[in-house]
PDB file of all heavy atoms in Angstrom:
ATOM      1  N   ALA A  79       8.072   4.005   7.626  1.00 89.00           N
ATOM      2  CA  ALA A  79       9.412   3.300   7.848  1.00 89.00           C
ATOM      3  C   ALA A  79      10.164   3.881   9.090  1.00 89.00           C
ATOM      4  O   ALA A  79      10.737   3.110   9.922  1.00 89.00           O
ATOM      5  CB  ALA A  79      10.348   3.600   6.539  1.00 89.00           C
ATOM      6  N   LYS A  80      10.210   5.100   9.203  1.00 86.00           N
ATOM      7  CA  LYS A  80      10.919   5.670  10.345  1.00 86.00           C
ATOM      8  C   LYS A  80      10.334   5.323  11.676  1.00 86.00           C
ATOM      9  O   LYS A  80      10.990   4.840  12.665  1.00 86.00           O
ATOM     10  CB  LYS A  80      11.003   7.273  10.307  1.00 86.00           C
ATOM     11  CG  LYS A  80      11.886   7.856  11.347  1.00 86.00           C
ATOM     12  CD  LYS A  80      12.090   9.423  11.062  1.00 86.00           C
ATOM     13  CE  LYS A  80      12.955   9.918  12.133  1.00 86.00           C
ATOM     14  NZ  LYS A  80      13.147  11.396  11.871  1.00 86.00           N
ATOM     15  N   ARG A  81       9.013   5.292  11.752  1.00 84.00           N
ATOM     16  CA  ARG A  81       8.293   4.977  13.032  1.00 84.00           C
ATOM     17  C   ARG A  81       8.530   3.468  13.352  1.00 84.00           C
ATOM     18  O   ARG A  81       8.644   3.183  14.552  1.00 84.00           O
ATOM     19  CB  ARG A  81       6.754   5.205  12.874  1.00 84.00           C
ATOM     20  CG  ARG A  81       6.112   5.065  14.182  1.00 84.00           C
ATOM     21  CD  ARG A  81       4.716   5.381  14.174  1.00 84.00           C
ATOM     22  NE  ARG A  81       4.349   6.736  13.838  1.00 84.00           N
ATOM     23  CZ  ARG A  81       3.205   7.331  13.696  1.00 84.00           C
ATOM     24  NH1 ARG A  81       2.178   6.591  13.690  1.00 84.00           N
ATOM     25  NH2 ARG A  81       3.093   8.618  13.505  1.00 84.00           N
ATOM     26  N   GLU A  82       8.612   2.648  12.321  1.00 85.00           N
ATOM     27  CA  GLU A  82       8.770   1.256  12.517  1.00 85.00           C
ATOM     28  C   GLU A  82      10.344   0.745  12.594  1.00 85.00           C
ATOM     29  O   GLU A  82      10.601  -0.371  12.801  1.00 85.00           O
ATOM     30  CB  GLU A  82       8.067   0.386  11.470  1.00 85.00           C
ATOM     31  CG  GLU A  82       6.522   0.545  11.607  1.00 85.00           C
ATOM     32  CD  GLU A  82       5.753  -0.410  10.913  1.00 85.00           C
ATOM     33  OE1 GLU A  82       6.350  -1.579  10.714  1.00 85.00           O
ATOM     34  OE2 GLU A  82       4.623  -0.165  10.502  1.00 85.00           O
ATOM     35  N   GLY A  83      11.204   1.780  12.324  1.00 91.00           N
ATOM     36  CA  GLY A  83      12.660   1.456  12.417  1.00 91.00           C
ATOM     37  C   GLY A  83      13.152   0.523  11.283  1.00 91.00           C
ATOM     38  O   GLY A  83      14.006  -0.369  11.504  1.00 91.00           O
ATOM     39  N   LYS A  84      12.446   0.632  10.121  1.00 93.00           N
ATOM     40  CA  LYS A  84      12.839  -0.303   9.021  1.00 93.00           C
ATOM     41  C   LYS A  84      12.985   0.556   7.835  1.00 93.00           C
ATOM     42  O   LYS A  84      12.540   1.636   7.675  1.00 93.00           O
ATOM     43  CB  LYS A  84      11.780  -1.377   8.808  1.00 93.00           C
ATOM     44  CG  LYS A  84      11.627  -2.233   9.992  1.00 93.00           C
ATOM     45  CD  LYS A  84      10.463  -3.359   9.764  1.00 93.00           C
ATOM     46  CE  LYS A  84      10.465  -4.174  10.860  1.00 93.00           C
ATOM     47  NZ  LYS A  84       9.360  -5.148  10.780  1.00 93.00           N
ATOM     48  N   SER A  85      13.623  -0.097   6.797  1.00 97.00           N
ATOM     49  CA  SER A  85      13.788   0.777   5.544  1.00 97.00           C
ATOM     50  C   SER A  85      12.425   0.612   4.835  1.00 97.00           C
ATOM     51  O   SER A  85      11.608  -0.227   4.991  1.00 97.00           O
ATOM     52  CB  SER A  85      14.843   0.025   4.641  1.00 97.00           C
ATOM     53  OG  SER A  85      14.299  -1.104   4.052  1.00 97.00           O
ATOM     54  N   PRO A  86      12.224   1.797   3.980  1.00 97.00           N
ATOM     55  CA  PRO A  86      10.912   1.828   3.290  1.00 97.00           C
ATOM     56  C   PRO A  86      10.641   0.634   2.393  1.00 97.00           C
ATOM     57  O   PRO A  86       9.595   0.147   2.236  1.00 97.00           O
ATOM     58  CB  PRO A  86      11.005   3.084   2.553  1.00 97.00           C
ATOM     59  CG  PRO A  86      11.937   3.906   3.282  1.00 97.00           C
ATOM     60  CD  PRO A  86      12.819   2.990   3.959  1.00 97.00           C
ATOM     61  N   MET A  87      11.774   0.191   1.717  1.00 97.00           N
ATOM     62  CA  MET A  87      11.715  -0.909   0.769  1.00 97.00           C
ATOM     63  C   MET A  87      11.280  -2.215   1.566  1.00 97.00           C
ATOM     64  O   MET A  87      10.464  -2.981   1.011  1.00 97.00           O
ATOM     65  CB  MET A  87      12.917  -0.965  -0.014  1.00 97.00           C
ATOM     66  CG  MET A  87      12.875  -1.728  -1.238  1.00 97.00           C
ATOM     67  SD  MET A  87      11.620  -1.018  -2.418  1.00 97.00           S
ATOM     68  CE  MET A  87      11.236  -2.509  -3.347  1.00 97.00           C
ATOM     69  N   GLU A  88      12.005  -2.456   2.586  1.00 96.00           N
ATOM     70  CA  GLU A  88      11.619  -3.526   3.411  1.00 96.00           C
ATOM     71  C   GLU A  88      10.193  -3.657   3.821  1.00 96.00           C
ATOM     72  O   GLU A  88       9.533  -4.677   3.750  1.00 96.00           O
ATOM     73  CB  GLU A  88      12.588  -3.554   4.716  1.00 96.00           C
ATOM     74  CG  GLU A  88      12.378  -4.788   5.633  1.00 96.00           C
ATOM     75  CD  GLU A  88      13.255  -4.660   6.899  1.00 96.00           C
ATOM     76  OE1 GLU A  88      13.946  -3.786   7.089  1.00 96.00           O
ATOM     77  OE2 GLU A  88      12.956  -5.545   7.750  1.00 96.00           O
ATOM     78  N   LEU A  89       9.637  -2.445   4.231  1.00 93.00           N
ATOM     79  CA  LEU A  89       8.350  -2.511   4.711  1.00 93.00           C
ATOM     80  C   LEU A  89       7.423  -2.642   3.530  1.00 93.00           C
ATOM     81  O   LEU A  89       6.352  -3.226   3.604  1.00 93.00           O
ATOM     82  CB  LEU A  89       7.958  -1.058   5.333  1.00 93.00           C
ATOM     83  CG  LEU A  89       8.145  -0.998   6.834  1.00 93.00           C
ATOM     84  CD1 LEU A  89       7.557   0.349   7.315  1.00 93.00           C
ATOM     85  CD2 LEU A  89       7.326  -2.125   7.548  1.00 93.00           C
ATOM     86  N   ALA A  90       7.753  -2.061   2.422  1.00 95.00           N
ATOM     87  CA  ALA A  90       6.815  -2.120   1.207  1.00 95.00           C
ATOM     88  C   ALA A  90       6.763  -3.583   0.710  1.00 95.00           C
ATOM     89  O   ALA A  90       5.674  -3.975   0.421  1.00 95.00           O
ATOM     90  CB  ALA A  90       7.414  -1.372   0.076  1.00 95.00           C
ATOM     91  N   GLU A  91       7.787  -4.390   0.847  1.00 96.00           N
ATOM     92  CA  GLU A  91       7.732  -5.783   0.511  1.00 96.00           C
ATOM     93  C   GLU A  91       6.976  -6.509   1.452  1.00 96.00           C
ATOM     94  O   GLU A  91       6.062  -7.384   1.078  1.00 96.00           O
ATOM     95  CB  GLU A  91       9.189  -6.361   0.525  1.00 96.00           C
ATOM     96  CG  GLU A  91      10.003  -5.802  -0.779  1.00 96.00           C
ATOM     97  CD  GLU A  91      11.373  -6.199  -0.577  1.00 96.00           C
ATOM     98  OE1 GLU A  91      11.973  -6.835   0.377  1.00 96.00           O
ATOM     99  OE2 GLU A  91      12.156  -5.831  -1.588  1.00 96.00           O
ATOM    100  N   VAL A  92       6.927  -6.278   2.743  1.00 93.00           N
ATOM    101  CA  VAL A  92       6.112  -6.923   3.795  1.00 93.00           C
ATOM    102  C   VAL A  92       4.654  -6.574   3.521  1.00 93.00           C
ATOM    103  O   VAL A  92       3.734  -7.364   3.506  1.00 93.00           O
ATOM    104  CB  VAL A  92       6.544  -6.493   5.224  1.00 93.00           C
ATOM    105  CG1 VAL A  92       5.474  -7.017   6.285  1.00 93.00           C
ATOM    106  CG2 VAL A  92       7.918  -7.121   5.527  1.00 93.00           C
ATOM    107  N   TYR A  93       4.370  -5.212   3.344  1.00 92.00           N
ATOM    108  CA  TYR A  93       3.059  -4.873   3.054  1.00 92.00           C
ATOM    109  C   TYR A  93       2.437  -5.331   1.813  1.00 92.00           C
ATOM    110  O   TYR A  93       1.223  -5.704   1.727  1.00 92.00           O
ATOM    111  CB  TYR A  93       2.952  -3.269   2.944  1.00 92.00           C
ATOM    112  CG  TYR A  93       3.174  -2.560   4.320  1.00 92.00           C
ATOM    113  CD1 TYR A  93       3.366  -3.214   5.553  1.00 92.00           C
ATOM    114  CD2 TYR A  93       3.150  -1.153   4.373  1.00 92.00           C
ATOM    115  CE1 TYR A  93       3.456  -2.666   6.756  1.00 92.00           C
ATOM    116  CE2 TYR A  93       3.264  -0.401   5.589  1.00 92.00           C
ATOM    117  CZ  TYR A  93       3.412  -1.191   6.758  1.00 92.00           C
ATOM    118  OH  TYR A  93       3.586  -0.567   8.012  1.00 92.00           O
ATOM    119  N   ALA A  94       3.332  -5.471   0.737  1.00 95.00           N
ATOM    120  CA  ALA A  94       2.736  -6.016  -0.554  1.00 95.00           C
ATOM    121  C   ALA A  94       2.337  -7.448  -0.312  1.00 95.00           C
ATOM    122  O   ALA A  94       1.210  -7.952  -0.733  1.00 95.00           O
ATOM    123  CB  ALA A  94       3.858  -6.001  -1.640  1.00 95.00           C
ATOM    124  N   ALA A  95       3.172  -8.198   0.380  1.00 94.00           N
ATOM    125  CA  ALA A  95       2.825  -9.634   0.601  1.00 94.00           C
ATOM    126  C   ALA A  95       1.574  -9.801   1.495  1.00 94.00           C
ATOM    127  O   ALA A  95       0.641 -10.645   1.139  1.00 94.00           O
ATOM    128  CB  ALA A  95       3.973 -10.331   1.352  1.00 94.00           C
ATOM    129  N   ARG A  96       1.390  -8.855   2.509  1.00 91.00           N
ATOM    130  CA  ARG A  96       0.198  -8.989   3.320  1.00 91.00           C
ATOM    131  C   ARG A  96      -1.108  -8.591   2.551  1.00 91.00           C
ATOM    132  O   ARG A  96      -2.126  -9.169   2.721  1.00 91.00           O
ATOM    133  CB  ARG A  96       0.398  -8.089   4.444  1.00 91.00           C
ATOM    134  CG  ARG A  96      -0.705  -8.347   5.503  1.00 91.00           C
ATOM    135  CD  ARG A  96      -0.255  -8.143   6.991  1.00 91.00           C
ATOM    136  NE  ARG A  96       1.054  -8.447   7.349  1.00 91.00           N
ATOM    137  CZ  ARG A  96       1.823  -7.632   8.136  1.00 91.00           C
ATOM    138  NH1 ARG A  96       1.337  -6.551   8.511  1.00 91.00           N
ATOM    139  NH2 ARG A  96       3.060  -7.959   8.421  1.00 91.00           N
ATOM    140  N   LEU A  97      -0.956  -7.642   1.727  1.00 92.00           N
ATOM    141  CA  LEU A  97      -2.141  -7.194   0.993  1.00 92.00           C
ATOM    142  C   LEU A  97      -2.651  -8.322   0.042  1.00 92.00           C
ATOM    143  O   LEU A  97      -3.889  -8.612  -0.067  1.00 92.00           O
ATOM    144  CB  LEU A  97      -1.913  -5.924   0.112  1.00 92.00           C
ATOM    145  CG  LEU A  97      -1.814  -4.563   0.994  1.00 92.00           C
ATOM    146  CD1 LEU A  97      -1.430  -3.486   0.137  1.00 92.00           C
ATOM    147  CD2 LEU A  97      -3.099  -4.247   1.561  1.00 92.00           C
ATOM    148  N   LYS A  98      -1.691  -8.894  -0.682  1.00 92.00           N
ATOM    149  CA  LYS A  98      -2.060  -9.988  -1.623  1.00 92.00           C
ATOM    150  C   LYS A  98      -2.568 -11.137  -0.879  1.00 92.00           C
ATOM    151  O   LYS A  98      -3.539 -11.880  -1.313  1.00 92.00           O
ATOM    152  CB  LYS A  98      -0.795 -10.385  -2.422  1.00 92.00           C
ATOM    153  CG  LYS A  98      -0.383  -9.525  -3.463  1.00 92.00           C
ATOM    154  CD  LYS A  98       0.774 -10.103  -4.292  1.00 92.00           C
ATOM    155  CE  LYS A  98       2.091 -10.077  -3.544  1.00 92.00           C
ATOM    156  NZ  LYS A  98       3.277 -10.377  -4.331  1.00 92.00           N
ATOM    157  N   GLU A  99      -2.071 -11.467   0.311  1.00 91.00           N
ATOM    158  CA  GLU A  99      -2.480 -12.572   1.190  1.00 91.00           C
ATOM    159  C   GLU A  99      -3.870 -12.381   1.640  1.00 91.00           C
ATOM    160  O   GLU A  99      -4.770 -13.198   1.728  1.00 91.00           O
ATOM    161  CB  GLU A  99      -1.595 -12.862   2.216  1.00 91.00           C
ATOM    162  CG  GLU A  99      -1.878 -13.873   3.260  1.00 91.00           C
ATOM    163  CD  GLU A  99      -0.869 -14.014   4.373  1.00 91.00           C
ATOM    164  OE1 GLU A  99       0.312 -14.196   4.037  1.00 91.00           O
ATOM    165  OE2 GLU A  99      -1.339 -13.835   5.498  1.00 91.00           O
ATOM    166  N   ASN A 100      -4.147 -11.165   2.117  1.00 89.00           N
ATOM    167  CA  ASN A 100      -5.413 -10.820   2.687  1.00 89.00           C
ATOM    168  C   ASN A 100      -6.629 -10.505   1.912  1.00 89.00           C
ATOM    169  O   ASN A 100      -7.665 -10.681   2.201  1.00 89.00           O
ATOM    170  CB  ASN A 100      -5.326  -9.709   3.715  1.00 89.00           C
ATOM    171  CG  ASN A 100      -4.556 -10.132   5.024  1.00 89.00           C
ATOM    172  OD1 ASN A 100      -5.222 -10.867   5.905  1.00 89.00           O
ATOM    173  ND2 ASN A 100      -3.377  -9.795   5.176  1.00 89.00           N
ATOM    174  N   ARG A 101      -6.272  -9.952   0.707  1.00 90.00           N
ATOM    175  CA  ARG A 101      -7.410  -9.570  -0.214  1.00 90.00           C
ATOM    176  C   ARG A 101      -7.070  -9.996  -1.663  1.00 90.00           C
ATOM    177  O   ARG A 101      -7.086  -9.100  -2.504  1.00 90.00           O
ATOM    178  CB  ARG A 101      -7.621  -8.111  -0.086  1.00 90.00           C
ATOM    179  CG  ARG A 101      -8.163  -7.566   1.183  1.00 90.00           C
ATOM    180  CD  ARG A 101      -9.500  -8.334   1.621  1.00 90.00           C
ATOM    181  NE  ARG A 101     -10.578  -8.164   0.623  1.00 90.00           N
ATOM    182  CZ  ARG A 101     -11.525  -7.226   0.807  1.00 90.00           C
ATOM    183  NH1 ARG A 101     -11.498  -6.297   1.686  1.00 90.00           N
ATOM    184  NH2 ARG A 101     -12.419  -7.131  -0.122  1.00 90.00           N
ATOM    185  N   PRO A 102      -6.923 -11.309  -1.923  1.00 92.00           N
ATOM    186  CA  PRO A 102      -6.677 -11.651  -3.373  1.00 92.00           C
ATOM    187  C   PRO A 102      -7.780 -11.337  -4.230  1.00 92.00           C
ATOM    188  O   PRO A 102      -7.634 -11.317  -5.492  1.00 92.00           O
ATOM    189  CB  PRO A 102      -6.296 -13.129  -3.192  1.00 92.00           C
ATOM    190  CG  PRO A 102      -6.971 -13.609  -1.943  1.00 92.00           C
ATOM    191  CD  PRO A 102      -6.952 -12.395  -1.016  1.00 92.00           C
ATOM    192  N   ASP A 103      -9.023 -11.160  -3.581  1.00 93.00           N
ATOM    193  CA  ASP A 103     -10.189 -10.934  -4.392  1.00 93.00           C
ATOM    194  C   ASP A 103     -10.285  -9.488  -4.848  1.00 93.00           C
ATOM    195  O   ASP A 103     -10.838  -9.085  -5.889  1.00 93.00           O
ATOM    196  CB  ASP A 103     -11.474 -11.038  -3.597  1.00 93.00           C
ATOM    197  CG  ASP A 103     -11.480 -10.250  -2.289  1.00 93.00           C
ATOM    198  OD1 ASP A 103     -10.390 -10.097  -1.560  1.00 93.00           O
ATOM    199  OD2 ASP A 103     -12.459  -9.710  -2.009  1.00 93.00           O
ATOM    200  N   VAL A 104      -9.354  -8.506  -4.382  1.00 91.00           N
ATOM    201  CA  VAL A 104      -9.300  -7.154  -4.777  1.00 91.00           C
ATOM    202  C   VAL A 104      -8.083  -6.844  -5.639  1.00 91.00           C
ATOM    203  O   VAL A 104      -8.088  -6.296  -6.687  1.00 91.00           O
ATOM    204  CB  VAL A 104      -9.334  -6.325  -3.483  1.00 91.00           C
ATOM    205  CG1 VAL A 104      -9.149  -4.798  -3.896  1.00 91.00           C
ATOM    206  CG2 VAL A 104     -10.542  -6.427  -2.744  1.00 91.00           C
ATOM    207  N   PHE A 105      -6.941  -7.457  -5.124  1.00 91.00           N
ATOM    208  CA  PHE A 105      -5.641  -7.016  -5.670  1.00 91.00           C
ATOM    209  C   PHE A 105      -5.203  -8.159  -6.746  1.00 91.00           C
ATOM    210  O   PHE A 105      -4.886  -9.242  -6.229  1.00 91.00           O
ATOM    211  CB  PHE A 105      -4.563  -6.761  -4.619  1.00 91.00           C
ATOM    212  CG  PHE A 105      -5.004  -5.753  -3.644  1.00 91.00           C
ATOM    213  CD1 PHE A 105      -5.317  -5.911  -2.414  1.00 91.00           C
ATOM    214  CD2 PHE A 105      -5.021  -4.447  -4.027  1.00 91.00           C
ATOM    215  CE1 PHE A 105      -5.735  -4.959  -1.515  1.00 91.00           C
ATOM    216  CE2 PHE A 105      -5.379  -3.345  -3.303  1.00 91.00           C
ATOM    217  CZ  PHE A 105      -5.661  -3.580  -1.964  1.00 91.00           C
ATOM    218  N   LEU A 106      -4.992  -7.815  -7.966  1.00 93.00           N
ATOM    219  CA  LEU A 106      -4.436  -8.681  -8.879  1.00 93.00           C
ATOM    220  C   LEU A 106      -2.993  -8.921  -8.578  1.00 93.00           C
ATOM    221  O   LEU A 106      -2.477 -10.002  -8.664  1.00 93.00           O
ATOM    222  CB  LEU A 106      -4.698  -8.112 -10.309  1.00 93.00           C
ATOM    223  CG  LEU A 106      -4.178  -9.010 -11.480  1.00 93.00           C
ATOM    224  CD1 LEU A 106      -4.868 -10.421 -11.457  1.00 93.00           C
ATOM    225  CD2 LEU A 106      -4.354  -8.300 -12.809  1.00 93.00           C
ATOM    226  N   SER A 107      -2.265  -7.721  -8.342  1.00 94.00           N
ATOM    227  CA  SER A 107      -0.859  -7.800  -7.935  1.00 94.00           C
ATOM    228  C   SER A 107      -0.622  -6.635  -7.058  1.00 94.00           C
ATOM    229  O   SER A 107      -1.313  -5.567  -7.165  1.00 94.00           O
ATOM    230  CB  SER A 107       0.014  -7.788  -9.186  1.00 94.00           C
ATOM    231  OG  SER A 107      -0.101  -6.543  -9.866  1.00 94.00           O
ATOM    232  N   VAL A 108       0.335  -6.740  -6.256  1.00 94.00           N
ATOM    233  CA  VAL A 108       0.914  -5.677  -5.384  1.00 94.00           C
ATOM    234  C   VAL A 108       2.432  -5.929  -5.293  1.00 94.00           C
ATOM    235  O   VAL A 108       2.922  -6.937  -5.003  1.00 94.00           O
ATOM    236  CB  VAL A 108       0.303  -5.746  -3.868  1.00 94.00           C
ATOM    237  CG1 VAL A 108       0.872  -4.527  -3.041  1.00 94.00           C
ATOM    238  CG2 VAL A 108      -1.066  -5.869  -3.847  1.00 94.00           C
ATOM    239  N   GLU A 109       3.140  -4.758  -5.830  1.00 95.00           N
ATOM    240  CA  GLU A 109       4.584  -4.910  -5.799  1.00 95.00           C
ATOM    241  C   GLU A 109       5.236  -3.723  -5.027  1.00 95.00           C
ATOM    242  O   GLU A 109       4.588  -2.659  -4.985  1.00 95.00           O
ATOM    243  CB  GLU A 109       5.003  -4.795  -7.267  1.00 95.00           C
ATOM    244  CG  GLU A 109       4.435  -5.891  -8.234  1.00 95.00           C
ATOM    245  CD  GLU A 109       4.803  -5.708  -9.685  1.00 95.00           C
ATOM    246  OE1 GLU A 109       5.110  -4.604 -10.019  1.00 95.00           O
ATOM    247  OE2 GLU A 109       4.587  -6.710 -10.277  1.00 95.00           O
ATOM    248  N   ALA A 110       6.344  -4.064  -4.385  1.00 96.00           N
ATOM    249  CA  ALA A 110       7.216  -2.978  -3.873  1.00 96.00           C
ATOM    250  C   ALA A 110       7.939  -2.414  -4.944  1.00 96.00           C
ATOM    251  O   ALA A 110       8.592  -3.034  -5.806  1.00 96.00           O
ATOM    252  CB  ALA A 110       7.939  -3.609  -2.816  1.00 96.00           C
ATOM    253  N   ALA A 111       8.161  -1.020  -4.893  1.00 95.00           N
ATOM    254  CA  ALA A 111       8.871  -0.350  -5.862  1.00 95.00           C
ATOM    255  C   ALA A 111       9.761   0.689  -5.128  1.00 95.00           C
ATOM    256  O   ALA A 111       9.307   1.408  -4.225  1.00 95.00           O
ATOM    257  CB  ALA A 111       8.053   0.320  -6.922  1.00 95.00           C
ATOM    258  N   HIS A 112      10.978   0.884  -5.585  1.00 95.00           N
ATOM    259  CA  HIS A 112      11.875   1.832  -4.995  1.00 95.00           C
ATOM    260  C   HIS A 112      11.354   3.185  -5.127  1.00 95.00           C
ATOM    261  O   HIS A 112      10.709   3.573  -6.175  1.00 95.00           O
ATOM    262  CB  HIS A 112      13.281   1.806  -5.622  1.00 95.00           C
ATOM    263  CG  HIS A 112      14.043   0.545  -5.305  1.00 95.00           C
ATOM    264  ND1 HIS A 112      14.575   0.485  -4.154  1.00 95.00           N
ATOM    265  CD2 HIS A 112      14.196  -0.566  -5.964  1.00 95.00           C
ATOM    266  CE1 HIS A 112      15.275  -0.736  -4.127  1.00 95.00           C
ATOM    267  NE2 HIS A 112      15.009  -1.446  -5.223  1.00 95.00           N
ATOM    268  N   PRO A 113      11.471   4.095  -4.061  1.00 96.00           N
ATOM    269  CA  PRO A 113      12.233   3.746  -2.850  1.00 96.00           C
ATOM    270  C   PRO A 113      11.497   3.196  -1.705  1.00 96.00           C
ATOM    271  O   PRO A 113      11.971   2.887  -0.670  1.00 96.00           O
ATOM    272  CB  PRO A 113      12.723   5.222  -2.496  1.00 96.00           C
ATOM    273  CG  PRO A 113      11.637   6.055  -2.842  1.00 96.00           C
ATOM    274  CD  PRO A 113      11.105   5.403  -4.160  1.00 96.00           C
TER     275      PRO A 113
END
Side-chain angles (χ1 to χ4, degrees):
K80 187 173 184 177
R81 189 179 291 176
E82 293 194 29
K84 297 181 180 175
S85 77
M87 202 54 206
E88 179 183 358
L89 267 187
E91 290 170 357
V92 169
Y93 287 0
R96 191 148 329 129
L97 286 172
K98 287 187 286 190
E99 178 183 304
N100 283 287
R101 292 305 300 265
D103 59 318
V104 174
F105 300 110
L106 179 63
S107 69
V108 184
E109 299 173 347
H112 286 284

